[in-house]
């Protein structure tokens, strides 16, 4: 495995608040999460959780399967749920969004196999948090998917996510009521939704983006699509077998 790039990291919450939490995370098998350095010089690590026969119920239960979830795509009763912890300023999250996710949607979401649930996990500072709240606000008007595409388009990260730029992305995404969008983005409900997602990630040991759970099994980094094909196939088979 290549050694991690040496680059400045933003301050973050401690990965585990106490020794007891760390022990619990190891028990859940979360040692497979791999950190990626938060700048364009970094490389996501290639290691991820290999095949396991013991999916921790605590991780499997994180799938919300809420039909009213505006930041999810796919049937709530799909046999496989992929949970994605991502940041709009993360280059490798953008790579996954552009190169991998559309194929997963076409192959698995459209036939009812897969549900994808988004978790805002901003770790790159104020603009990351602003973009996360903007995505949530776009979702309030059923435009999360379109905002997601606009925010992860080539060159979008370089243009930044400050102020009027987020309104412009919402306009491109077809958000119908931009005044409401700005109000929602600045409101406490958006902040609470962001905290809920981010706290969930920290609680289970996520320390980098993108990070994924496929029916409770961790995948760290923008892995080749074959890794997702294998994980989804295994999860589907286990679901069919009642495990």
């Amino acid at each position: 495995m290549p050694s991690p790039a040496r680059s400045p990291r933003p301050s973050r919450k401690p990965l585990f608040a106490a020794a007891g939490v760390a022990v619990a995370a190891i028990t859940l098998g979360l040692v497979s999460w791999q950190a990626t350095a938060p700048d364009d010089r970094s490389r996501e690590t290639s290691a991820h959780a290999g095949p396991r026969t013991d999916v921790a119920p605590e991780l499997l239960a994180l799938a919300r399967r809420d039909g009213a979830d505006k930041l999810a795509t796919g049937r709530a009763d799909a046999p496989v749920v992929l949970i994605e912890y991502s940041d709009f300023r993360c280059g490798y999250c953008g790579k996954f969004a552009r190169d991998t996710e559309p194929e997963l949607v076409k192959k698995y979401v459209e036939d009812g196999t897969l549900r994808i649930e988004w978790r805002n996990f901003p770790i790159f500072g104020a603009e990351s948090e602003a973009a996360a709240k903007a995505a949530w606000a776009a979702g309030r008007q059923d435009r999360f998917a379109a905002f997601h595409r606009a925010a992860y388009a080539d060159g979008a990260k370089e243009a930044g996510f400050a102020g009027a730029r987020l309104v412009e992305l919402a306009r491109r995404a077809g958000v119908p009521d931009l005044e409401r969008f700005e109000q929602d983005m600045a409101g406490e409900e958006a902040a609470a939704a962001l905290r809920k997602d981010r706290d969930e990630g920290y609680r289970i040991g996520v320390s980098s983006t993108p990070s994924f759970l496929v029916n409770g099994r961790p995948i760290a980094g923008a892995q080749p699509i074959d890794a997702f094909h294998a994980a989804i196939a295994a999860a589907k088979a286990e679901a069919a077998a009642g495990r």
Side-chain angles (χ1 to χ4, degrees), residues 12-36:
R12 305 177 184 171
K13 293 182 180 179
L15 180 57
F16 301 116
V21 179
V23 171
I26 293 171
T27 301
L28 295 178
L30 294 183
V31 292
S32 60
W33 296 119
Q34 302 292 327
T36 57

Side-chain angles (χ1 to χ4, degrees), residues 52-76:
R52 291 171 54 93
T53 59
D54 57 331
V55 176
E58 292 88 344
L59 298 185
L60 191 59
L62 290 175
R64 295 172 185 168
R65 295 187 177 275
D66 180 358
D69 186 347
K70 302 289 191 178
L71 277 59
T73 184
R75 292 171 46 170

Side-chain angles (χ1 to χ4, degrees), residues 40-121:
D40 288 337
R41 293 173 293 165
S42 69
R43 296 169 292 176
E44 75 266 20
T45 54
S46 60
H48 60 86
R52 291 171 54 93
T53 59
D54 57 331
V55 176
E58 292 88 344
L59 298 185
L60 191 59
L62 290 175
R64 295 172 185 168
R65 295 187 177 275
D66 180 358
D69 186 347
K70 302 289 191 178
L71 277 59
T73 184
R75 292 171 46 170
D77 64 350
V80 182
V81 177
L82 182 153
I83 302 174
E84 175 185 357
Y85 300 87
S86 282
D87 183 316
F88 284 104
R89 291 192 64 222
C90 163
Y92 288 107
C93 300
K95 177 178 174 61
F96 173 81
R98 292 187 299 272
D99 299 345
T100 303
E101 188 171 15
E103 183 171 336
L104 298 182
V105 170
K106 183 176 181 180
K107 184 174 178 65
Y108 301 110
V109 174
E110 291 181 3
D111 76 357
T113 297
L114 181 68
R115 176 177 175 83
I116 299 175
E117 295 187 355
W118 172 271
R119 303 287 192 266
N120 275 309
F121 196 73

Side-chain angles (χ1 to χ4, degrees), residues 145-208:
F147 184 92
H148 178 277
R149 287 192 296 272
Y152 277 136
D154 282 325
K157 183 184 77 165
E158 289 72 19
F161 297 112
R165 168 71 175 156
L166 293 172
V167 178
E168 174 58 27
L169 287 173
R171 183 180 291 109
R172 292 185 190 179
V175 173
D177 187 338
L178 294 176
E179 182 176 351
R180 177 190 168 191
F181 166 80
E182 291 187 82
Q183 291 173 348
D184 286 343
M185 182 171 57
E188 174 54 32
E189 199 171 350
L194 187 157
R195 285 194 300 271
K196 179 181 179 180
D197 285 356
R198 187 162 53 186
D199 288 351
E200 175 184 293
Y202 281 124
R203 188 174 70 249
I204 66 170
V206 175
S207 62
S208 62

Side-chain angles (χ1 to χ4, degrees), residues 204-222:
I204 66 170
V206 175
S207 62
S208 62
T209 55
S211 289
F212 308 89
L213 292 173
V214 179
N215 276 15
R217 286 192 172 85
I219 296 179

